[in-house]
Amino acid sequence: MKILSRGGRATVVAALATLLLAATGSMSQASAATTYWTFKSRYNGHCLTGSASTTAVWTAPCTGGPSQQWYWYGTREVYGGESYRMLRNRHSGDCLMTDFESGGGRNAVWQSSCANQTNTREWTNDTPELLSPPYVNNSLRVSPASNAVYTNDPLFSHTNDIPYLTHTWSRSHT
């Protein structure tokens, strides 16, 4: 076995250090990349979709396009042990919002500017199948009769013959 000279060892050490720095640098860049999520309704098999030109939100057949990609944005808030952040649409740059007060057992959902983080713009997915705003027992759901989305209490849905499955979502990320 041949033993490297001091100069040879220094060259090997320098090369290994360069490789390590290159690998670490590329790992840092990759870990800093935004993680985009798609949310697929378990009820109708369609994905949560946001318009790029209006405030509209609905479900549509899943394409994986930017209008169906969402990412967690803003400061993480913790209420009752769950983490809440704004959910921002990649295509429009706006955040998912609800009003808790539309009436008729369902609350409107739309996109709005992410400029102010408020509880009407915050969501959690800590319970993996639900997308829920803070302070209320509401969760995002699809309409059984259309591609519209609302928030309301799953217990309200149950007493009004709206399947619980309309409240459940699978998630995947890129």
Side-chain angles (χ1 to χ4, degrees):
M1 169 163 70
K2 185 175 179 183
I3 298 177
L4 293 175
S5 68
R6 251 187 209 175
R9 283 188 296 233
T11 302
V12 170
V13 168
L16 288 173
T18 302
L19 284 172
L20 182 61
L21 286 173
T24 304
S26 65
M27 285 173 44
S28 295
Q29 290 172 353
S31 63
T34 302
T35 300
Y36 294 100
W37 294 88
T38 54
F39 298 94
K40 183 177 181 179
S41 168
R42 291 190 186 276
Y43 181 76
N44 67 11
H46 291 175
C47 288
L48 184 63
T49 305
S51 172
S53 58
T54 70
T55 61
V57 179
W58 66 96
T59 62
C62 299
T63 64
S67 64
Q68 295 178 341
Q69 296 176 12
W70 302 82
Y71 62 99
W72 297 105
Y73 177 77
T75 306
R76 184 177 68 90
E77 302 286 343
V78 177
Y79 308 106
E82 291 188 307
S83 299
Y84 292 85
R85 295 181 83 178
M86 293 186 287
L87 197 53
R88 191 171 201 169
N89 183 271
R90 182 177 192 176
H91 198 50
S92 69
D94 287 333
C95 287
L96 192 65
M97 183 171 183
T98 187
D99 63 3
F100 306 132
E101 57 192 44
S102 296
R106 62 181 182 211
N107 303 303
V109 175
W110 66 96
Q111 296 179 98
S112 181
S113 166
C114 301
N116 298 315
Q117 186 166 346
T118 65
N119 66 345
T120 58
R121 287 185 183 91
E122 293 176 331
W123 299 85
T124 187
N125 194 218
D126 284 355
T127 303
E129 291 193 335
L130 300 177
L131 283 166
S132 304
Y135 301 124
V136 293
N137 291 326
N138 289 348
S139 63
L140 186 69
R141 74 162 175 90
V142 297
S143 169
S146 71
N147 288 326
V149 292
Y150 305 101
T151 61
N152 77 305
D153 187 333
L155 291 177
F156 173 87
S157 292
H158 177 72
T159 59
N160 288 281
D161 294 325
I162 299 170
Y164 179 77
L165 200 58
T166 62
H167 288 268
T168 60
W169 302 83
S170 62
R171 62 186 179 191
S172 60
H173 61 83
T174 57

